Amino acid sequence: MPEPLREVQRRFLAAIVDGDADAGALIVDDARVGAAKRLAIYRNNYRASLTGVLADHYERLHAWLGDEQFDNVACAYVAAHPSTTRNLRHYGGGFAAFLAEHFPDDGELAELARLDWALRAAFDAPDVPALDAVRVTGLGETWLDQPLRLHPSASLLSARFNVAALWRALDDGEEPPEPVELTEPIALLVWRNGLQPHFRSLSEIEARALARLEAGATFTGLSAHVIEAVGEAAAMEELAGWLGQWLADGVLAEHRHY
């Protein structure tokens, strides 16, 4: 009785991913090519497809490492982390953690990967309405006491290296600076405005403010926290500047849209 299709598929996948020799019986074996060579071709195509996906997802990291080094690292990741998703857009989310584990003395690699991934995720994020000046005006003062969140396209990253300068130079096709470990980590905000992903560096106090909003704080609650931290006059100036930029950039969303 023929094997069920699902079992044949399982065995064939095992042969491609894990090198299961028993699955050779599923492949035509003849003098022209032979089962072993056919399987090797399939394995090579599988790995090449996944390394190509990683190169697409991590364009600036690819540019930083160059073709040969990136391919070596990508092949090692593919061998350790076979695809488990039907949508290759989601493949490679663990690449930054893999780099951090295997290249602890080259911290810029993992950070470039995190920034590449966050920008790609921002591009693909859901089209939740952003909180803007028009919406705030329509809500009146009631929005001040409503829980806020970062827009789904927005995320906060922590960087220990000059990864922002590295990424921008690579994006512009310029000679990148040498990687430098910073005296203090900095925060980066990644978000999408319209169809275009962006990122920028944040001051420590703005990063803390956005983290509080990400946790569901109201603007009233955030204002009280900032006033306590820096005093009323400085807080009013900071809050006004932040709010204007956040609304213009589309960084915030109402909690009810989640």
Side-chain angles (χ1 to χ4, degrees):
M1 182 177 180
E3 286 186 83
L5 177 59
R6 184 177 295 276
E7 178 60 18
V8 171
Q9 292 173 330
R10 186 199 65 77
R11 290 180 60 198
F12 185 73
L13 181 61
I16 301 302
V17 176
D18 303 322
D20 184 356
D22 292 340
L26 300 172
I27 309 299
V28 172
D29 190 12
D30 57 32
R32 187 166 63 90
V33 179
K37 188 172 182 178
R38 293 178 194 273
L39 273 175
I41 292 171
Y42 283 123
R43 289 190 190 107
N44 182 67
N45 288 343
Y46 168 81
R47 291 167 185 159
S49 294
L50 292 185
T51 57
V53 167
L54 293 175
D56 181 60
H57 290 343
Y58 297 96
E59 289 186 77
R60 304 301 167 261
L61 176 65
H62 184 188
W64 174 250
L65 287 174
D67 291 341
E68 184 175 353
Q69 288 191 58
F70 184 87
D71 191 58
N72 290 338
V73 174
C75 285
Y77 180 82
V78 169
H81 300 277
S83 176
T84 58
T85 175
R86 295 182 180 181
N87 186 346
L88 289 179
R89 164 62 192 90
H90 303 299
Y91 180 71
F95 198 32
F98 178 85
L99 293 168
E101 177 184 356
H102 292 278
F103 301 94
D105 296 330
D106 299 292
E108 77 279 0
L109 300 182
E111 292 192 358
L112 274 173
R114 289 192 189 99
L115 184 52
D116 270 337
W117 186 263
L119 288 162
R120 180 61 65 96
F123 181 80
D124 289 339
D127 291 325
V128 169
L131 191 65
D132 58 16
V134 173
R135 178 61 178 158
V136 165
T137 300
L139 289 171
E141 293 188 358
T142 61
W143 77 273
L144 293 169
D145 296 312
Q146 293 181 5
L148 299 174
R149 294 292 300 271
L150 296 188
H151 190 272
S153 70
S155 60
L156 296 168
L157 304 180
S158 178
R160 295 185 301 110
F161 288 82
N162 58 333
V163 65
L166 289 172
W167 196 99
R168 292 193 191 284
L170 293 165
D171 187 53
D172 292 337
E174 299 175 353
E175 183 69 23
E178 290 296 316
V180 176
E181 187 166 6
L182 307 173
T183 55
E184 295 289 340
I186 64 167
L188 300 175
L189 172 65
V190 179
W191 79 100
R192 184 187 70 222
N193 193 348
L195 298 177
Q196 183 62 46
H198 301 271
F199 75 90
R200 65 179 175 89
S201 302
L202 303 174
S203 66
E204 183 179 353
I205 189 172
E206 185 182 5
R208 291 202 305 266
L210 285 169
R212 292 182 74 85
L213 293 180
E214 171 62 8
T218 65
F219 196 77
T220 297
L222 173 64
S223 299
H225 175 77
V226 178
I227 289 171
E228 182 180 354
V230 301
E232 185 170 359
M236 291 301 100
E237 184 177 351
E238 293 279 27
L239 287 163
W242 294 341
L243 182 59
Q245 184 159 15
W246 294 343
L247 294 178
D249 290 343
V251 167
L252 302 180
E254 294 176 73
H255 198 287
R256 66 187 182 86
H257 285 301
Y258 279 72

